[in-house]
Amino acid sequence: MAKRDSQGKALSDYPRPSVAVDTAVLTVPAGGPLSVVAVTGDGDLRLPGTFLHEGETLADAVGRSLVEKAGITGIHPVQLHVFDAPDRDDRGWVLSVAHLAPVRMSQLADRARTELVPVAELPPMPFDHAEIVALAVAELRARHAEHPDPFGLLPEPTFTIRELHELHEAVAGHALPRDTFRRLMEPQLVPTGSLARGTVGKPAREFIRGGA
Amino acid sequence: MAKRDSQGKALSDYPRPSVAVDTAVLTVPAGGPLSVVAVTGDGDLRLPGTFLHEGETLADAVGRSLVEKAGITGIHPVQLHVFDAPDRDDRGWVLSVAHLAPVRMSQLADRARTELVPVAELPPMPFDHAEIVALAVAELRARHAEHPDPFGLLPEPTFTIRELHELHEAVAGHALPRDTFRRLMEPQLVPTGSLARGTVGKPAREFIRGGA
DNA sequence: GAGAATTAGCGCAAATCTGCGCGAATCTCC
DNA sequence: GGAGATTCGCGCAGATTTGCGCTAATTCTC
């Protein structure tokens, strides 16, 4: 039995918006550019989304929408912004909570249902989806600015500085000075004691994340 | 007439949460510490808040709640985060969109209804209000890190580097090296051509915000 | 096996940033 | 008017960061 206010009304007696989630799923293909996962909607490419169900957190709804619409599992969404223009959706009063969900390529199990679009080459998208992508890219870049692989996007738990550097360059969308990068990141890494094998050139040390 | 889906249902036929706004109103009293505006609730100090009304944006709701509960006008809220735990409010299913609203002291017209609490001395607060304050403080500090007076908190449109420095130190909650600060901020300021008068010591140049 | 190509690690010099302290410019008091 | 206190602006030297290029260590090719 829901509590009632001074006028005998429960919360559900008042007008309330529907709450949707829309997610910019960002990934870095091996050797490729930072890309966003798009799904096909009404003849266009758009971000996966859904409505929040009773008893769910927003992250639960994001997870459900990604499993259902894109076959993506194991995500850890980050809230970006609430889009709240009262007239943004012609079906009625809808708020959309925009999210970022960074994923490894290996988490994209069902590639037939999704399209990988480089964020630098975004096609027209409905609603405020282009803006959501921009917010997501900015957030991903901000988090990569100071810390090594903050979302665990590298394919393996151990990696070389070069591999880390390449990931961060793909995220940034431009070259990063290698020495400055190494000096910033290395103190935040733990050497495994092993060297990379089978690569051309001097074998590089391997690391995992962690450290001072 | 609201649009209907494949099952003949309108959006309002589905369960929907109530959406609330809670606001950390932050200000810097002259010569004082960074402080948050609290209002009296059920025998405690809490942040001002309200429910989103139909046809409103979240910022509209923030503005309404601050006028009604704290007599504060002219605010420009910044969204921080959506608190979405399904059981966070015993009245029913409520999402709360937390906001930051920086204000000048002069905007606090009705001081009888509000309490100014230094953010470093926060009392126990209900719900997630302490966390909202922490998020707001972090956001305010992040925005002050690189740009001069980003929210226009200084009492006057023209100011000296010293005045700006003092504001930024109050926001940061600790001393900031004066030369590094001046070298970072000054290129972002436009000199008015005037010097401060009536102060002890060499008269300082006055500036407004703007510039490369 | 030898040589070429490629890459990693890092010391060093150049570039940039930071803090200090000095002279300049005011206000206050005697 | 002068002395003392205070503050501002900034040049300079010390501290820190950055980029270069060298040697070391591998793979690839003939």
Side-chain angles (χ1 to χ4, degrees):
Chain A
M1 180 52 66
K3 289 204 171 189
R4 295 181 174 264
D5 62 21
S6 51
Q7 301 185 58
K9 292 189 172 184
L11 288 181
S12 49
D13 294 325
Y14 292 96
R16 286 154 292 131
S18 299
V19 175
V21 292
D22 288 304
T23 310
V25 182
L26 298 181
T27 192
V28 177
L34 181 60
S35 303
V36 65
V37 173
V39 293
T40 305
D42 299 333
D44 61 25
L45 282 178
R46 61 183 57 188
L47 301 179
T50 194
F51 285 101
L52 180 65
H53 287 177
E54 193 161 12
E56 280 186 324
T57 64
L58 293 162
D60 293 336
V62 168
R64 179 170 50 79
S65 76
L66 293 186
V67 169
E68 288 173 1
K69 300 203 174 177
I72 301 168
T73 57
I75 53 91
H76 300 285
V78 174
Q79 285 183 17
L80 294 172
H81 186 70
V82 186
F83 288 86
D84 63 341
D87 60 348
R88 72 182 282 281
D89 194 310
D90 61 5
R91 291 170 293 180
W93 187 16
V94 179
L95 302 188
S96 173
V97 187
H99 289 79
L100 157 68
V103 295
R104 286 191 293 274
M105 284 297 293
S106 58
Q107 286 168 274
L108 304 182
D110 190 348
R111 296 298 319 286
R113 292 157 75 186
T114 58
E115 190 98 40
L116 264 201
V117 182
V119 296
E121 298 165 28
L122 220 44
M125 282 178 132
F127 301 108
D128 18 42
H129 286 194
E131 190 177 342
I132 293 172
V133 173
L135 287 175
V137 169
E139 181 68 26
L140 191 76
R141 286 176 173 162
R143 291 189 184 211
H144 277 77
E146 307 288 344
H147 301 293
D149 194 19
F151 294 102
L153 294 183
L154 287 169
E156 305 291 340
T158 66
F159 49 84
T160 64
I161 299 272
R162 184 187 190 87
E163 284 162 346
L164 183 66
H165 184 237
E166 280 168 355
L167 169 71
H168 279 246
E169 284 190 325
V171 169
H174 58 79
L176 299 172
R178 73 177 165 114
D179 283 290
T180 306
F181 179 84
R182 177 175 50 80
R183 288 168 181 150
L184 173 64
M185 297 295 174
E186 197 181 314
Q188 304 181 63
L189 303 174
V190 180
T192 64
S194 299
L195 297 183
R197 309 268 352 144
T199 55
V200 177
K202 184 176 175 178
R205 292 165 300 163
E206 289 190 331
F207 298 89
I208 57 173
R209 284 182 299 165
Chain B
M1 179 54 63
K3 289 206 173 187
R4 292 179 178 267
D5 63 19
S6 52
Q7 301 186 54
K9 290 189 172 183
L11 288 182
S12 48
D13 295 324
Y14 291 95
R16 286 155 291 128
S18 299
V19 176
V21 291
D22 289 305
T23 311
V25 182
L26 298 181
T27 192
V28 178
L34 180 61
S35 304
V36 65
V37 174
V39 294
T40 306
D42 298 333
D44 59 27
L45 282 177
R46 61 182 56 189
L47 302 179
T50 192
F51 286 100
L52 180 65
H53 289 177
E54 192 161 12
E56 279 185 324
T57 64
L58 293 161
D60 293 336
V62 169
R64 177 167 54 76
S65 77
L66 293 185
V67 169
E68 289 175 0
K69 300 202 172 175
I72 300 168
T73 57
I75 53 93
H76 300 285
V78 173
Q79 286 182 16
L80 294 173
H81 184 72
V82 186
F83 289 86
D84 64 341
D87 60 348
R88 74 181 281 279
D89 195 309
D90 62 3
R91 291 170 294 180
W93 186 18
V94 178
L95 301 189
S96 173
V97 187
H99 288 79
L100 156 68
V103 295
R104 285 191 292 275
M105 285 299 292
S106 58
Q107 286 168 273
L108 303 182
D110 191 347
R111 296 298 319 285
R113 293 156 74 189
T114 58
E115 191 98 39
L116 264 201
V117 182
V119 297
E121 298 164 30
L122 220 44
M125 284 180 133
F127 300 108
D128 19 44
H129 286 197
E131 191 179 342
I132 293 173
V133 174
L135 288 174
V137 169
E139 181 68 28
L140 191 76
R141 284 176 174 162
R143 294 192 182 209
H144 276 77
E146 306 289 344
H147 301 293
D149 194 19
F151 294 103
L153 295 183
L154 287 169
E156 305 292 341
T158 66
F159 48 84
T160 64
I161 299 272
R162 184 187 190 89
E163 284 162 344
L164 183 65
H165 185 236
E166 280 169 355
L167 169 71
H168 279 246
E169 284 190 324
V171 169
H174 57 78
L176 298 171
R178 74 175 164 116
D179 283 289
T180 307
F181 179 84
R182 179 177 47 80
R183 290 169 178 150
L184 173 63
M185 298 297 172
E186 197 183 314
Q188 304 182 60
L189 304 174
V190 180
T192 63
S194 299
L195 298 182
R197 310 260 2 133
T199 56
V200 176
K202 184 176 177 178
R205 294 165 297 162
E206 289 188 329
F207 298 90
I208 56 173
R209 286 183 297 166

